[in-house]
Amino acid sequence: MRPGLWLFAPSRDSQGGSSWLLEASATGLSFDLLIDCPGYSQANLDWLSARGPGLLVLTSREGHGRCRRVQQAIGWEVLVQEQEAYLLPGVAPLRSFGATCELAPGVRLLWTPGPTPGACVVHARGPQLDVLFCGRLLAPVGPNAIAPLRTARCFHWPRQLASLEALRGWLPPGSPEWIACGGGLGALRGAKLVTEGAVALRSAP
């Protein structure tokens, strides 16, 4: 999608959700970041196993997919917000966090409950790119347009709206440049990333 940023095909294991991979070279980390679990296929497992060390970050229970089997195949550590760690029995190594987590300067996670109890977002800002992985907190509703959506699977709608406000205050001014959503990418009409992400985030209802 961009230098150092990859998108996997939607996964039926995650209700058609999309997973993203951010290369270590784009963040200054010593490992790749896999945002949500891609489909369990031999092609995905082979590609990930060949990459070296990595960390699988889960942004909501809807992004767990077949996490245990993928983790066993590739051996990467899994990071999840503490409210949803109990949903991953048998996943090891497994690490959890509370309200926030900083993996490195410019690579941070924020707990954003609402879509699910342990939903979170990941913001990566460095010399090569400035991208927010918003999971299911926001969904595309048109070209370069995003909004929180109240679905039948939504855990707590008022908390989701409060999380959106908290996110706006948590991000640095002018960030993000791009937003990577965890599902519903068809609404972007061929695009995969929301460009001018800071503007789209301010405009979200």
Side-chain angles (χ1 to χ4, degrees):
M1 297 297 104
R2 303 290 305 177
L5 180 62
W6 299 79
L7 172 63
F8 289 85
S11 170
R12 280 185 277 181
D13 299 327
S14 299
Q15 292 82 44
S18 299
S19 302
W20 301 81
L21 184 129
L22 188 57
E23 293 181 359
S25 60
T27 63
L29 294 168
S30 59
F31 49 84
D32 291 343
L33 283 181
L34 178 58
I35 313 296
D36 289 325
C37 194
Y40 183 79
S41 71
Q42 196 59 52
N44 284 345
L45 297 179
D46 289 346
W47 188 77
L48 290 167
S49 297
R51 295 200 57 82
L55 175 69
L56 169 53
V57 178
L58 299 173
T59 64
S60 78
R61 67 186 177 205
E62 293 191 342
H64 289 193
R66 299 171 74 180
C67 177
R68 183 178 59 82
R69 297 195 67 181
V70 170
Q71 194 274 336
Q72 288 176 344
I74 65 177
W76 291 11
E77 184 178 26
V78 175
L79 177 63
V80 64
Q81 205 281 331
E82 61 189 8
Q83 296 288 328
E84 294 180 4
Y86 78 97
L87 296 171
L88 300 168
V91 173
L94 175 68
R95 179 163 41 124
S96 63
F97 72 98
T100 61
C101 177
E102 183 172 2
L103 298 176
V107 184
R108 305 183 299 153
L109 289 81
L110 176 69
W111 178 34
T112 54
T116 67
C120 69
V121 299
V122 184
H123 181 224
R125 188 184 195 190
Q128 294 188 37
L129 78 170
D130 176 6
V131 58
L132 174 71
F133 299 93
C134 69
R136 303 298 179 97
L137 179 69
L138 294 158
V141 292
N144 276 346
I146 51 174
L149 296 183
R150 188 173 189 173
T151 70
R153 298 188 302 271
C154 178
F155 160 66
H156 197 289
W157 180 242
R159 289 189 184 181
Q160 185 164 339
L161 297 180
S163 290
L164 176 56
E165 285 306 306
L167 172 62
R168 289 175 171 137
W170 178 75
L171 288 166
S175 284
E177 186 173 357
W178 300 290
I179 296 177
C181 298
L185 302 188
L188 297 176
R189 299 180 187 175
K192 303 302 181 185
L193 287 164
V194 176
T195 61
E196 298 184 357
V199 175
L201 190 60
R202 287 197 304 270
S203 303

